[in-house]
Every structure is written in structure tokens, then in C-alpha cells.
Amino acid sequence: MNSVPIIKSSVAACLSMLLVSVGAQAADDAAQTPQSASASVSDLAVFKLNKQSFELGLAYTQATFKTTHANIGTQITDNGAPSPIIELRSSEKILKAWPMRVGNAVVGWDINASASIYNTRYQILNSALRGQDIGTNVSGGYIGVAPILFFKMGPLYPGSELYLKVGGGIGPGMLKSSGTSSFNGTVDTVGSSSPVFAIYRTASWQFQAGNWYFDILGKGLQTLDGTHTSLESYGFGVAYRIGL
């Protein structure tokens, strides 16, 4: 009867010695292991991985509508105008990460869905960028979805929520365009009565400050209906991120 407490005491003592030994060995191994080229879980604890979000904002961009009719190309632009930023983003996923002196550098991916409208009414005639108002006009909208490969750094200094992010991707889209454009002096209708399938391309250089996003961005859509019709948009904008 008296042997049971003695056995329990002996087992407890052995377990205690084993835990001390394992802890000492782990500490010794950590001291001898060289610094990894990839960021550890603890290193990434301060790195902000954005979750699924909805972004609303305003951009100032120059949109240019291009198409071909009877082997004659034409371009019509808005000469720069405000446009809405409406984007839905998936959560960010890490592919590779490296620790820096402050923060981390990360290669990752997410999925971006974007929609906007445009109104081009300045025909490009004697300039590569600026158009002239000759009474033509093409307006419409688009939506595109693309997986984005990005490179992200931050936080840029301790305790901040400042990040730099550069990324781009390609995917499916829909482009709606209708109006008139000049083909060597001949005005003709362009576009279609309904949206058409397109290849969507997007790229951005982004500065993130908390939930605020400051973008230099470029977007493009190339239709797949054989009309050689495309829309290009370049500019900068500000948006606010709303987590979902």
C-alpha cells in the first residue's frame, strides 16, 4: 500500500528531469542553428497579411479606347478624368518570405476583382496622348478578375503599419463600350450593345498606411471578339480598405 506514493513520486521526478533536459537541448540547438533565409513564424508575427477586403476610392486616370474598322485604327481618350475605384480582394497568401533589418520582404499572391466606368470624348489626331473634341464619344464600363503575384515589404519602421506592395496579374474580363469614333475623318459607330469577353491585365505600385491605399495603377482589357478593340487606363488614386 505504501509503495504507490513512492512510485508516483519517482515518475514525477523522472518527468521533471526529462522536461529540463529537452528544454536545455532545444535551447542549445537554437543557439547553434544559423539564421534562416526565410522568415520564421515569429518574424512574420508583425507582418500584416491582409484578409479578404472591399476597397472604395477615387482615382485620376487617363483612359484610352482603341479599335480598328476596315483596317483603320482609331483612338479616343478622356484626357485624364476622375474615376471610381471599386475592388474586391481575397486574402493574401505567402509564397516566400525573407526577414529584413526592419520587417520582412514577401512574395505572395491574392485575387483581385475590379470594376469601373469610363467616358472618352477626345479623338487622338496629331498627338500621341492628348485628344481633340470633334464630337465623337465612346463610353462604357468593365469588370475584370485576375490572380495577382506581388512583392511586399514592411512594416517600413518598427511599430508602424506602412507597407510597399508591387504586383500584377492577368485574367478574364468583360468590356462594355458604345459610341462613335473618327476613322480618317469618317465618323462611324463602335462598340457593341452588350458586354463582350476580354483579357484583363492589371498592375500597381501601392503604398499602404493602415487601411488607406495610395496607388499608381495601370489596367487594360483586350476584347476577344475579333474587332481589335481595347481599353487602357493609367493613373493614381486613393482608396480605403474595408475588411470583410
Side-chain angles (χ1 to χ4, degrees):
M1 294 292 294
N2 295 332
S3 61
V4 173
I6 296 175
I7 293 174
K8 289 183 176 180
S9 177
S10 300
V11 170
C14 290
L15 287 173
S16 177
M17 293 175 62
L18 181 60
L19 289 172
V20 171
S21 176
V22 170
Q25 182 64 38
D28 185 61
D29 289 344
Q32 295 178 11
T33 302
Q35 185 175 7
S36 173
S38 297
S40 67
V41 174
S42 60
D43 292 328
L44 291 171
V46 295
F47 189 88
K48 184 178 180 181
L49 283 175
N50 289 331
K51 304 300 181 182
Q52 186 176 8
S53 64
F54 189 61
E55 296 172 22
L56 290 174
L58 185 66
Y60 185 84
T61 61
Q62 180 162 343
T64 303
F65 176 85
K66 303 178 181 180
T67 192
T68 300
H69 178 69
N71 294 324
I72 300 174
T74 185
Q75 300 182 38
I76 184 169
T77 182
D78 60 5
N79 280 349
S83 62
I85 296 176
I86 306 172
E87 295 191 350
L88 178 65
R89 290 183 181 271
S90 72
S91 59
E92 294 178 341
K93 304 294 191 301
I94 292 178
L95 294 176
K96 187 71 174 178
W98 299 267
M100 301 189 301
R101 177 170 296 182
V102 176
N104 297 278
V106 166
V107 173
W109 68 276
D110 59 16
I111 297 176
N112 166 272
S114 178
S116 192
I117 57 175
Y118 67 95
N119 183 15
T120 57
R121 57 190 182 91
Y122 299 99
Q123 195 81 39
I124 293 180
L125 300 174
N126 302 314
S127 170
L129 297 175
R130 305 292 293 179
Q132 301 177 30
D133 187 357
I134 62 172
T136 54
N137 171 272
V138 179
S139 61
Y142 68 84
I143 184 171
V145 180
I148 307 296
L149 182 67
F150 66 80
F151 176 76
K152 186 175 181 180
M153 295 190 304
L156 299 182
Y157 66 86
S160 74
E161 289 192 24
L162 302 179
Y163 294 83
L164 287 178
K165 183 179 180 181
V166 180
I170 184 170
M174 298 287 288
L175 176 64
K176 174 68 171 66
S177 56
S178 61
T180 59
S181 188
S182 176
F183 298 85
N184 286 355
T186 302
V187 176
D188 204 346
T189 58
V190 295
S192 62
S193 58
S194 59
V196 297
F197 287 105
I199 297 174
Y200 169 69
R201 303 180 307 276
T202 180
S204 69
W205 184 95
Q206 191 173 78
F207 176 73
Q208 300 177 0
N211 287 334
W212 287 97
Y213 288 62
F214 303 87
D215 275 318
I216 297 175
L217 50 91
K219 298 180 183 294
L221 293 102
Q222 177 70 55
T223 63
L224 300 174
D225 59 356
T227 61
H228 303 288
T229 297
S230 65
L231 177 73
E232 297 177 357
S233 177
Y234 302 96
F236 57 89
V238 178
Y240 186 80
R241 172 182 172 271
I242 303 170
L244 299 179

